[in-house]
């Protein structure tokens, strides 16, 4: 072994939809942790920890989610492993860190409350401060992948509870993609995709024509390799 | 530090399309390496190596591709990081290994020739022997992801040269998905997707009505995080 040690860390990009403080429109938020050690002391970073010998990668990500939000994951997926040689500042005497990054999505009905309190703060994702290490790139990549995945997967439903109106689903798309969608076109496209089915129930306590409630036709496919292998090819679209 | 060391390895699933030895039909092949050390001595495994201090993750994957096939990558993408606690046999005294797995796609016009000769052998991917470690799961996941990605991305083109006929493109889909596709439907779907454009040229040296040659309208988007961030959301499909 050389003097430099390789450290494997697991970081988690946790996203939730909350109103923007100025516009009031739903937008992506995420919790960041203020660094209390060098390098980058005082800067914000994605929450995470070094991998412990007894932990699987996802176990570590689950612990970070719990410590940061008090929640167990409904949706947790491995995003990417970041391992550029120069991720820690040269000459800082720091170990080389390779980070496996997960993302977690918090549902509308979940209330996040940090367990290790004062160092955690929530930010509007697209207005996050300059982050420590290469976390600017990690965050930008996570947001780009989330937005890309909205187009070809059921990932939008990770933000919703089991029953939802088509207006609520559209608001998720609008909030993540940051642009308005035509309600009639959206409704037509979603129903044509056959991804959602009506539950037969309606939203209660509202006007004299309460909107219909829908649910996913099939659950969001897991991205966990063992389950992907067991399930066949869940993401595959039909070619004739 | 405890007695057990954490080792980070980079393995690469290299795939190419070649005729099946019995049916003659195009199918996926991949190179495997016979293990010359315990654990799993004598068994086949995915090619790879421990991450070197001076290497980025992709640099390591590129070296494995070159050592195994003599080729530089046209298409190289990070697949997943595998880090279950029990990946190495318990009590073997082995270090704990976390593997970041890449996949590489070899084009039809490339001739793979291993540099570290005798320990490398090519297998039909769906008929590979039982592999060392958790490499059965890794390989099955790589194949499932490749097949899923055929449905919503331009990845099929990584198997082809810059100019191709629609029949060649269909043969790639048929070989990867392992089922015949209706030529007229396929042609209609591909042209409707606007993913390919005619070059104005035709395949030479053939019959009196030589088929038209096409090229990709835009290159296959890179999955490298820095490029994804720079490019915006390349995989995102249109929602109106």
């Amino acid at each position: 072994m050389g003097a430099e040690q390789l450290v494997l860390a697991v970081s988690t990009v946790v996203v939730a939809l909350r109103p923007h403080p100025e516009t009031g429109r739903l937008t992506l938020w995420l919790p960041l942790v203020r660094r209390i050690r060098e390098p980058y002391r005082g800067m914000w970073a994605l929450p995470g920890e070094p991998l412990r010998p007894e932990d699987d990668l996802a176990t570590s990500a689950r612990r970070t989610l719990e410590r940061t939000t008090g929640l167990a994951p409904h949706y947790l997926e491995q995003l990417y492993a970041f391992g550029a040689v120069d991720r820690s500042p040269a000459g800082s005497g720091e170990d080389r860190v390779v980070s496996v990054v997960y993302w977690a999505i918090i549902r509308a009905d979940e209330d996040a409350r940090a367990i290790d309190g004062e160092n955690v703060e929530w930010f509007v994702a697209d207005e996050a401060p300059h982050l420590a290490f290469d976390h600017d790139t990690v965050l930008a990549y996570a947001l780009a992948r989330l937005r890309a995945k909205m187009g070809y997967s059921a990932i939008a439903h990770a933000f919703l509870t089991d029953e939802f109106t088509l207006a609520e689903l559209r608001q998720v798309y609008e909030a993540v993609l940051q642009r308005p969608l035509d309600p009639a076109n959206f409704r037509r496209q979603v129903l044509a995709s056959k991804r959602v089915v009506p539950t037969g129930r309606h939203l209660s306590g509202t006007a004299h024509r309460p909107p219909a409630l829908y649910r996913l036709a099939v659950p969001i496919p897991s991205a966990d390799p063992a389950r992907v292998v067991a399930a066949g090819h869940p993401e595959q679209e039909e070619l004739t």
Side-chain angles (χ1 to χ4, degrees), chain A residues 18 31 38 44 48 50 55 86 91-92 98 159 166 169 175 191 217 235:
Chain A
R18 304 280 183 258
E38 295 294 344
W44 297 95
D55 279 350
D86 59 357
S92 69
V98 172
F159 291 99
L166 293 184
L169 180 58
L191 294 179
E235 278 185 16

Side-chain angles (χ1 to χ4, degrees), chain A residues 104-173:
Chain A
I105 294 177
I106 293 184
R107 293 198 324 202
D109 63 331
E110 292 182 306
D111 196 11
R113 218 166 310 184
I115 290 179
D116 74 352
E118 55 228 271
N119 287 319
V120 176
E121 202 171 304
W122 284 73
F123 293 85
V124 173
D126 292 294
E127 301 168 8
H130 177 45
L131 302 178
F133 304 107
D134 58 355
H135 290 188
D136 285 339
T137 301
V138 175
L139 174 57
Y141 181 64
L143 296 176
R145 276 280 297 272
L146 171 61
R147 285 166 175 150
K149 232 179 147 161
M150 296 288 283
Y152 63 83
S153 84
I155 199 170
H157 295 274
F159 291 99
L160 293 169
T161 50
D162 291 347
E163 292 202 335
F164 48 86
T165 67
L166 293 184
E168 287 169 337
L169 180 58
R170 176 170 47 80
Q171 283 156 14
V172 170
Y173 274 90

Side-chain angles (χ1 to χ4, degrees), chain A residues 23-105:
Chain A
T23 67
R25 286 200 200 104
L26 271 190
T27 192
L28 286 166
W29 290 72
L30 89 166
L32 297 171
V33 176
R34 193 189 285 276
R35 286 185 59 79
I36 53 174
R37 276 196 303 270
E38 295 294 344
Y40 301 111
R41 192 155 86 103
M43 287 185 75
W44 297 95
L46 296 168
E49 58 174 29
L51 182 66
R52 301 181 191 180
E54 70 275 21
D55 279 350
D56 290 344
L57 298 169
T59 305
S60 177
R62 273 193 292 273
R63 184 183 304 111
T64 293
L65 178 67
E66 197 198 349
R67 212 179 51 232
T68 315
T69 67
L71 299 171
H74 282 285
Y75 187 89
L76 183 71
E77 182 185 344
Q78 191 188 103
L79 176 67
Y80 204 79
F82 292 82
V85 171
D86 59 357
R87 296 183 69 228
S88 266
S92 69
E94 275 296 295
D95 295 327
R96 176 169 177 197
V97 181
V98 172
S99 293
V100 178
V101 179
Y102 280 74
W103 60 4
I105 294 177

